[in-house]
């Protein structure tokens, strides 16, 4: 069913499209917006929700946030059409809207998805209307500025871009233009493990009990999308501006001071640790990156949080987040087709169920299926690393990451998965593939203590699959890895293993892959 508010008689102004990840009036309202003649347009489509076989929590977050924003706009008496349909796509709904009401112009803030932009451009073009694409003011680096920064560089590296952005925004910079603390990056202080005693007491992120509107959405998703993965029993994500601000304040107060030391650490049964849990709110535009950065810097300047924690957090937003967004628009659509290692295997079924003997993977997948979340090291060095070592097709891995995490939007999820996690672009994003054996997971977590596999063993019944597949990967991909300058040491370590042991490792890797793919389970439906 199409639910609309009538376009008032005699209205011939602009139609302003508001997408589901643009929930900020300061971003979507043009400076020349005139409520007497212009109309805002939003669309909630069950077809779009099924286009990606998404985690139920991701669906609830997006739909509930959209409906809260809808109600906010109406409370502010802004003219709005909110289209809802069970069987029509976003393009269908826009096509119907333009056929019924011909605006003077269609205005669109640049989407976070290249495919959405192409689809909407095609619809508007069919109606011979003008589509005005406005840059997304949510971001701190315009695409024009990013292109200027990238032009002529032999390599695009986040660290170089990050320093550029620090100077541009005068963030953590003193009066003479030098970085606070005398260095740009405290990354070496951001890699501590918890040790045998674990993380100790961790203040849990502020809970956001579902209000009546969100409860209605939860019921709707459980009924309409019952075949989708994940649980909604623990859903407590911020879905509006007020809740997102509370989540920001909670992180700054309770977890930022310790975040820097342990941002790469893992611990079984601990989903959130000291992480902010703010990425979803930022990706929906409920929080602006400027205000998040300002809050963190203020915490340092007032003595509440150490510089290493604040700089490490700011680097994720001002550096990495802006960097991957710029590269996404610079390299799409070719980026999505990259497959540097030529991987072609399917994703194991148990990525959708969590049913695996490997404790680190089981814990990360269990957390993900319960909440729609895993922190960046679990994504990079557990779920992403295993799929890379196994030889899963990058497109399969990207589809899973997009579907399973509540904060997944194409501009950030695709570069992080294909570029950083799977190294499918051959180094355009990251300077080396993130490869490691089970020893890394043992060092950074307690998962190996509860696991039947031994991360130090390369062969035998107790050999860790991460370790076996790691050494086998180095052999299989040696020719390509030799061209990566930062990989020389790992290849030297490979040369220390005897030819006989490498044959055993190769046979064990083959046997492991056969066992993994011989298991059965619910597969993701074809999209």
């Amino acid at each position: 069913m199409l639910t609309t508010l009538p376009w008032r008689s005699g209205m011939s102004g602009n139609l302003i499209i508001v997408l589901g990840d643009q929930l900020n009036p300061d971003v979507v309202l043009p400076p020349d917006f005139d409520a007497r003649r212009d109309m805002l347009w939003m669309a909630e489509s069950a077809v779009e929700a099924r286009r990606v076989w998404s985690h139920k929590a991701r669906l609830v977050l997006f739909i509930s946030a959209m409906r809260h924003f809808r109600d906010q706009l109406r409370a502010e008496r802004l003219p709005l059409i909110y289209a809802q349909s069970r069987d029509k796509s976003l393009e269908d709904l826009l096509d119907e809207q333009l056929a019924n009401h011909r605006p003077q112009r269609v205005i669109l803030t640049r989407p976070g998805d290249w495919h959405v932009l192409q689809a909407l451009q095609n619809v508007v073009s069919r109606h011979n209307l003008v589509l005005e694409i406005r840059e997304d003011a949510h971001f701190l680096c315009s695409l024009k500025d990013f292109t200027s920064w990238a032009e002529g560089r032999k390599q695009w590296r986040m660290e170089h871009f990050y320093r550029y952005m620090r100077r541009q925004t005068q963030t953590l910079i003193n009066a003479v233009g030098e970085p606070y603390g005398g260095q740009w990056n405290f990354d070496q202080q951001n890699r501590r493990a918890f040790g045998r005693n674990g993380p100790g007491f961790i203040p849990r992120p502020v809970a956001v009990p579902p209000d009546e509107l969100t409860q209605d959405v939860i019921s709707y998703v459980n009924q309409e999308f019952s075949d989708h993965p994940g649980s909604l029993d623990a859903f407590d994500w911020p879905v509006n501006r007020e809740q997102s601000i509370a989540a920001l304040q909670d992180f700054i107060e309770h977890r930022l001071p310790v975040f820097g030391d342990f941002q790469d650490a893992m611990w079984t049964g601990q989903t959130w640790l000291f992480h902010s849990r703010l990425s979803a709110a930022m990706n929906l535009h409920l929080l602006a990156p400027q205000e998040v950065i300002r809050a963190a810097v203020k915490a340092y300047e007032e003595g509440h949080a150490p510089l290493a924690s604040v700089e490490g957090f700011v680097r994720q937003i001002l550096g990495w987040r802006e960097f991957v967004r710029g590269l996404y628009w610079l390299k799409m659509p070719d980026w999505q087709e990259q497959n540097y290692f030529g991987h072609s295997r399917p994703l194991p079924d148990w990525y959708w169920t969590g049913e695996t003997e490997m404790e680190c993977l089981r814990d990360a997948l269990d957390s993900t299926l319960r909440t729609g979340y895993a922190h960046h090291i679990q994504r990079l060095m557990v779920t992403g690393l295993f799929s890379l070592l196994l030889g899963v097709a990058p497109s399969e891995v990207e589809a899973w990451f997009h579907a399973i995490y509540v904060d997944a939007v194409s501009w950030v999820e695709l570069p992080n998965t294909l570029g950083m996690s799977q190294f499918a672009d051959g180094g355009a994003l990251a300077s080396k593939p993130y490869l490691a054996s089970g020893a890394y997971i043992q060092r950074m977590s307690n998962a190996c203590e509860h696991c039947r596999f031994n991360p130090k063993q390369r062969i035998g019944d107790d050999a860790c699959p991460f370790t076996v597949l790691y050494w086998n990967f180095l052999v299989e991909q040696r020719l390509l890895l030799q061209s990566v300058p930062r990989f020389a040491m790992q290849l030297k370590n490979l040369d220390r293993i005897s030819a006989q042991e490498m044959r055993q490792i190769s046979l064990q890797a083959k046997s492991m892959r056969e066992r993994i793919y011989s298991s059965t389970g619910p597969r993701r439906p074809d999209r």
Side-chain angles (χ1 to χ4, degrees), residues 6-7 16 28 41 145 230 264 283 326 335 344 390 400 410 449:
W7 200 314
I16 295 101
V28 296
W41 183 83
D145 287 345
D264 284 3
N283 292 352
W335 209 350
S344 59
L390 191 62
W400 183 79
S410 185
E449 296 177 14

Side-chain angles (χ1 to χ4, degrees), residues 96-254:
E96 184 173 301
Q97 179 63 48
L98 297 179
N100 292 337
H101 302 287
R102 186 177 179 84
Q104 181 180 352
R105 289 180 304 170
V106 179
I107 298 175
L108 172 67
T109 298
R110 180 179 290 272
D113 188 317
W114 184 89
H115 296 283
V116 170
L117 176 59
Q118 305 308 305
L120 297 182
Q121 284 178 323
N122 290 338
V123 174
V124 176
S125 177
R126 287 201 301 268
H127 288 268
N128 294 314
L129 290 168
V130 175
L131 176 63
E132 181 179 324
I133 301 171
R134 300 195 173 187
E135 289 307 311
D136 192 338
H138 169 84
F139 294 95
L140 296 168
C141 184
S142 71
L143 295 183
K144 179 181 178 181
D145 287 345
F146 185 88
T147 302
S148 296
W149 172 84
E151 190 173 6
R153 292 177 180 266
K154 293 181 179 180
Q155 292 182 323
W156 299 318
R157 292 291 172 254
M158 190 279 288
E159 180 64 25
H160 303 154
F161 174 76
Y162 172 53
R163 296 184 186 190
Y164 163 79
M165 288 300 295
R166 288 270 295 271
R167 292 188 178 101
Q168 290 293 105
T169 60
Q170 289 296 291
T171 300
L172 296 175
I173 297 286
N174 63 26
V176 295
E178 297 296 324
Y180 282 8
Q183 60 190 74
W184 291 100
N185 185 313
F186 291 85
D187 185 51
Q188 292 299 322
Q189 297 180 36
N190 298 153
R191 301 179 184 180
R192 289 182 58 192
F194 290 122
R196 296 190 60 83
N197 294 327
F201 173 72
I202 303 174
R204 193 186 187 285
V206 61
V208 183
D211 59 15
E212 185 176 353
L213 191 158
T214 301
Q215 289 174 5
D216 287 344
V217 175
I218 289 173
S219 298
Y220 164 67
V221 168
N222 275 327
Q223 179 177 351
E224 185 72 17
F225 306 97
S226 59
D227 62 329
H228 283 232
S231 169
L232 292 173
D233 294 343
F235 186 90
D236 66 349
W237 290 95
V239 293
N240 61 28
R241 169 78 176 154
E242 181 181 5
Q243 294 169 356
S244 300
I245 291 173
L248 169 61
Q249 293 171 341
D250 174 72
F251 168 67
I252 297 295
E253 177 66 24
H254 297 295

Side-chain angles (χ1 to χ4, degrees), residues 408-480:
V409 180
S410 185
W411 65 264
V412 64
E413 177 274 322
L414 186 146
N416 274 323
T417 305
L418 296 185
M420 189 175 188
S421 173
Q422 302 302 295
F423 203 72
D425 61 5
L429 178 69
S431 60
K432 67 171 184 175
Y434 282 82
L435 294 170
S437 70
Y440 174 85
I441 295 170
Q442 183 181 40
R443 183 168 68 252
M444 298 305 297
S445 78
N446 67 328
C448 300
E449 296 177 14
H450 312 294
C451 188
R452 85 164 190 85
F453 297 109
N454 186 339
K456 296 179 181 179
Q457 289 191 13
R458 297 187 284 235
I459 54 176
D461 291 342
D462 295 332
C464 173
F466 278 88
T467 301
V468 175
L469 293 174
Y470 166 77
W471 291 108
N472 187 69
F473 187 96
L474 297 189
V475 172
E476 290 184 338
Q477 301 291 352
R478 179 163 193 153
L479 286 178
L480 290 176

Side-chain angles (χ1 to χ4, degrees), residues 267-443:
W267 199 260
T268 56
Q270 293 284 353
T271 300
W272 315 115
L273 294 171
F274 296 100
H275 293 269
S276 72
R277 214 175 79 140
L278 298 175
S279 57
M282 282 195 287
N283 292 352
L284 293 176
H285 291 25
L286 297 174
L287 287 174
Q290 301 97 317
E291 67 183 325
V292 176
I293 291 170
R294 280 198 301 267
V297 172
K298 182 180 179 183
Y300 165 69
E301 292 176 342
E302 293 181 350
H304 177 65
L307 181 57
S309 281
V310 171
E311 186 279 318
F313 181 64
V314 168
R315 191 184 334 130
Q316 291 184 347
I317 301 170
L318 186 60
W320 193 254
R321 189 170 185 267
E322 298 285 329
F323 180 65
V324 298
R325 192 243 179 182
L327 284 185
Y328 176 85
W329 286 107
L330 206 60
K331 294 180 63 63
M332 284 294 283
D334 294 341
W335 209 350
Q336 63 190 344
E337 306 299 331
Q338 301 297 301
N339 189 352
Y340 183 70
F341 292 118
H343 288 165
S344 59
R345 293 184 175 87
L347 191 75
D349 297 340
W350 43 258
Y351 265 70
W352 300 100
T353 66
E355 296 172 1
T356 173
E357 290 184 289
M358 290 170 277
E359 180 63 21
C360 57
L361 267 165
R362 187 208 58 76
D363 182 67
L365 292 170
D366 175 71
S367 171
T368 296
L369 291 166
R370 280 189 298 103
T371 66
Y373 174 87
H375 63 74
H376 68 278
I377 292 298
Q378 290 175 305
R379 301 187 200 194
L380 179 65
M381 300 306 295
V382 181
T383 54
L385 172 61
F386 192 79
S387 64
L388 175 61
L389 297 176
L390 191 62
V392 176
S395 59
E396 287 253 336
V397 184
E398 191 273 329
W400 183 79
F401 270 75
H402 198 153
I404 209 72
Y405 293 119
V406 298
D407 56 5
V409 180
S410 185
W411 65 264
V412 64
E413 177 274 322
L414 186 146
N416 274 323
T417 305
L418 296 185
M420 189 175 188
S421 173
Q422 302 302 295
F423 203 72
D425 61 5
L429 178 69
S431 60
K432 67 171 184 175
Y434 282 82
L435 294 170
S437 70
Y440 174 85
I441 295 170
Q442 183 181 40
R443 183 168 68 252

